[in-house]
Amino acid sequence: MRAPSLLSVYGTLFLALLFQLFPWTGEGVILRPDFMLVVLIYWLFRAPYLCNIGTAWVAGVLVDLATGSLLGQYALAFTLTAYIALFFQRRLVLFSSFQLLFFTFGLLIFTRLTILVLKLFSGNEIPNMHYFWPVISGVLLLQLMRFFLGPITQSTSNKAN
Amino acid sequence: MLKGVHQKLETQQTPAFFVRGVSPFSRMVLFCALSIILMAVDAKLNYLSQIRQAFIGGLHPVERIADIPSEFIREFKKYFSVHNQLVQENYTLKQQAFENAIKLQRLNTLESENTHLRSFLGGDMPIHPRAVLGDISHTGRDPFRNVVIVNRGSQHNIQAGQAVVDAKGVLGQVTRIYPFSSEVTLITDKNLSIPVQVERNQLRAIAFGQSGNTLDIPYLPSDVDIKIGDKLVTSGIDGIYPAGLAVATVTKINQDPMSPFAKIISTPTAQVSHHLQLLILELPELKEVERNPEETDDDEPTTTTVKEAKPDART
């Protein structure tokens, strides 16, 4: 798990799309995280040279198509989120695990808020509070990804010594 | 000087970091502009509905793969369902079938009587729409809309605008068609309105979807004759929903002395979350085609059907 390959990036993104398409029914639906977005954030943090704003945009368009909403809403939200994520990407090395968690939380909230604003512009009504619940499950998902796919910041020099 | 800076940076980060090409900011601006253009094109020009249909059609195999685990669990549960439960279910179903058979007998005589009486009066014959049974595959992926996705699409001759019902009452209307699935907007969605009639006194009104799984009946005077518990049925004047289907029951009436209108809230009788099957009724084709021939072969089903429902209902 040293250097992530392009295949692993697109593989996990495709898997996330699959999860997004999974026919979720029942009570658990409100807790369903934004799989695509979380995977995207993970790779933006870890390998910005493989997964950049363009990837985020394409992923957003795919999510737009899958949700059947007005095309471009998720694309715009993902692009903005990716920009913020990349803006702070160099500082991630300095972040503690808790700070990283908090940062992801903020990013996910930001995406949800952006989509909310866009949806309100296109004439939808304000949803109730469990619109924001996927943020929590999203943070948990990122923790899981860090556990299984490797840490985000590679402070390998310390470990090697 | 420059050399010194370069050396200093090299110790901080890996060189791969510097070969980045376009700066993130300009990328962000570019892709934001692209998405705004996409939004404008999608909202105003309707070019993209074909692309969306093709994409969803192409996704069908992927969706089937994603569906495998839940299907497996469902089958697994079915296989191991307890014998007792099955016997019980069988018993209740038989009882229901028996009761329904008796009711059907009465219905037949009533129906023939009704057509007879109608022929005396020279009225139109009531329509008996044919129906297609569909399964709900999931409840949509957009948290802002009240829709369900049904596993019947243009391959099964489903058209946009068809009414959808379940055993208890009206569920909604087909708004978007994909090759192997279609999107049913529920009557509780904000964009859908349905012409109704109070069963007790035949008062006609239009019910609009509201958040929180309720229907709102606006623009009725505050002294209107509607009580809590009144049943609302479809009036059938829009040509989409056949007359006499249960829609909702009035649950709350707020009479504000300052407002000239009563605020009437009702809950739908159909239960979306309780089962997986629903019926898609066929459109009454002849009248519909004569009235607006240009709308039948439209590309974007959502906008036409929702818009279509409202002016029709108001007439």
Side-chain angles (χ1 to χ4, degrees), chain B residues 75-93:
Chain B
E75 290 297 315
F76 191 78
K77 269 187 187 165
K78 216 187 268 176
Y79 188 79
F80 284 101
S81 61
V82 194
H83 174 76
N84 260 348
Q85 211 175 315
L86 283 176
V87 171
Q88 189 76 32
E89 201 176 292
N90 198 2
Y91 178 73
T92 48
L93 283 177

Side-chain angles (χ1 to χ4, degrees), chain B residues 53-72:
Chain B
Q53 279 185 18
F55 178 77
I56 298 279
L59 271 186
H60 187 65
V62 181
E63 275 184 326
R64 291 303 290 272
I65 294 168
D67 198 24
I68 285 173
S70 59
E71 192 116 311
F72 179 75

Side-chain angles (χ1 to χ4, degrees), chain B residues 7 94 259 269:
Chain B
Q7 274 173 344
K94 263 184 187 161
S259 159
T269 37

